[in-house]
Amino acid sequence: MAPIAVDPHTEQADENSKHNQVVIIGSGPAGHTAAIYLARANLKPVMYEGMLANGFAAGGQLTTTTDVENFPGFPEGVRGTEMMDLFRAQSVRFGTVIHTETVSKLDLSSRPFKYWREYAEQEEPETADTIIIATGASAKRLNLPGEETYWQSGISACAVCDGAVPIFRNKPLAVIGGGDSACEEAMYLTKYGSIVYLVVRRDELRASKVMAKRAMNHPKIKILWNTSPLEACGDGDLLQSIKTKDTKTGEIKDLPVNGLFYAIGHVPATELVKGQVTTDEEGYIVTEPGTTRTSVKGVFAAGDVQDKAVTSAGTGCMAALEAERLLAEEEDLSH
């Protein structure tokens, strides 16, 4: 990628500084939106975009998505990787210093907060007055045989992101899961697929009664009760079927589908702050209602760790503004 010119009206943080006002950990839509707002406010943000942190390339979950068609500003759609390259370019243009490294350790017990980069945990820590946690979440996967081969070639964890891709049009599709998300994704996919199989391990849906009723009554959705997926099969390039097992009879069948969508939940990447900020039972960071403020003053949570790309960008903006406000208040008090 060609070098990106930094806007001459903004100031950059010293790349070698051991202390910064604002450090952003994470590089998805939330992290970059926060970076853009902070850089334009001349707060010289420093971002750690991660080196395959949480199993993703810098840019987060969107880098695993083919065409993004539901983000404002891209009427023709945009590839996930291209979109995140544009986010990154805008952050750099306004002066954000980006390190392609992973923060592996945090100490939030007192301010300034201490943090260590991966492989430098034994060295002296670097410090920050405020930290924005934007490390995202990853979709739960089943790790079926064949899953890696057909990931993004028939298998996806985001129907809204990938459902309109041409390989799924007028083809039989399957959704794994029995909750509200699975029902929503199945109904969404009926716009594109010839039929949508909802593969449910049990003999009932975990979804709310309203969502379950909609799914069961939809003419293009067929629910396969007591069914577990065993293997993803295809021609080496594209998915063509999945092997399934009846959990009651043990019967194994081939289900011809060209698309397989996982809707079995997400895992937030919050191990870094576990035990230091309040999280809920699933590991998501708890924030004050209507804000990105966490249980630790000066630490903000934005994006999927807090609770899609549009939502993440919004909370990234909130985190930037709240960090800026806190720093301004503390500067006033110091004078």
Side-chain angles (χ1 to χ4, degrees):
M1 193 166 66
I4 301 159
V6 176
D7 191 304
H9 300 294
T10 60
E11 296 181 48
Q12 277 188 299
D14 180 353
E15 288 195 30
N16 300 311
S17 173
K18 289 286 188 180
H19 177 80
N20 292 284
Q21 282 186 292
V22 191
V23 164
I24 302 163
I25 303 174
S27 57
H32 278 297
T33 304
I36 291 162
Y37 274 78
L38 290 163
R40 283 172 57 81
N42 280 330
L43 286 173
K44 306 177 186 177
V46 172
M47 171 185 282
Y48 288 87
E49 64 180 357
M51 176 64 79
L52 289 178
N54 203 28
F56 295 117
Q61 284 191 86
L62 277 179
T63 61
T64 69
T65 299
T66 48
D67 294 316
V68 179
E69 298 185 319
N70 59 349
F71 199 96
F74 298 95
E76 304 302 319
V78 60
R79 293 187 67 81
T81 50
E82 181 188 351
M83 182 176 173
M84 292 319 302
D85 284 346
L86 292 169
F87 272 54
R88 191 181 194 277
Q90 193 169 354
S91 293
V92 171
R93 181 197 164 202
F94 288 111
T96 304
V97 170
I98 300 179
H99 296 288
T100 309
E101 294 183 74
T102 301
V103 171
S104 59
K105 183 181 174 184
L106 272 178
D107 180 354
L108 304 179
S109 59
S110 61
R111 295 177 72 197
F113 304 119
K114 302 180 183 71
Y115 66 93
W116 292 260
R117 307 185 196 198
E118 193 171 32
Y119 309 120
E121 291 88 352
Q122 305 308 314
E123 298 179 14
E124 283 294 304
E126 294 168 79
T127 57
D129 293 325
T130 57
I131 290 179
I132 295 174
I133 307 294
T135 44
S138 56
K140 291 179 182 177
R141 291 169 64 163
L142 292 174
N143 299 311
L144 299 175
E147 182 177 298
E148 282 301 322
T149 302
Y150 300 110
W151 191 258
Q152 291 303 317
S153 295
I155 305 180
S156 168
C158 181
V160 175
C161 309
D162 299 329
V165 172
I167 61 170
F168 301 133
R169 300 255 180 175
N170 300 311
K171 299 290 177 61
L173 309 174
V175 175
I176 307 293
D180 280 350
S181 293
C183 291
E184 285 177 10
E185 299 220 341
M187 284 187 284
Y188 177 80
L189 290 169
T190 60
K191 300 176 186 177
Y192 306 106
S194 57
I195 185 171
V196 179
Y197 297 101
L198 188 55
V199 181
V200 184
R201 292 174 184 270
R202 304 188 301 173
D203 58 3
E204 63 179 356
L205 293 170
R206 291 182 291 103
S208 63
K209 287 184 179 180
V210 172
M211 288 301 300
K213 185 177 180 181
R214 284 181 191 166
M216 288 189 287
N217 291 339
H218 199 290
K220 289 180 72 174
I221 294 176
K222 182 176 181 179
I223 301 178
L224 303 180
W225 306 106
N226 304 305
T227 302
S228 289
L230 294 179
E231 183 179 356
C233 308
D235 61 5
D237 292 321
L238 295 173
L239 181 77
Q240 294 179 330
S241 66
I242 57 172
K243 286 191 186 300
T244 63
K245 180 180 180 179
D246 188 305
T247 57
K248 287 194 172 182
T249 67
E251 182 184 4
I252 294 175
K253 291 181 180 179
D254 279 325
L255 180 66
V257 291
N258 296 98
L260 177 63
F261 295 83
Y262 293 162
I264 53 176
H266 288 75
V267 179
T270 52
E271 194 64 33
L272 192 62
V273 295
K274 194 174 181 180
Q276 299 193 76
V277 300
T278 301
T279 55
D280 66 14
E281 62 277 2
E282 294 181 64
Y284 289 93
I285 297 173
V286 174
T287 54
E288 293 179 25
T291 78
T292 63
R293 294 193 293 268
T294 71
S295 57
V296 176
K297 185 178 181 180
V299 178
F300 306 89
D304 288 349
V305 290
Q306 183 200 34
D307 159 3
K308 293 185 183 248
V310 174
T311 306
S312 294
T315 54
C317 171
M318 288 168 63
L321 296 174
E322 287 166 5
E324 181 185 354
R325 191 176 302 123
L326 175 64
L327 290 168
E329 288 171 357
E330 290 178 341
E331 185 177 356
D332 289 343
L333 290 172
S334 67
H335 292 310

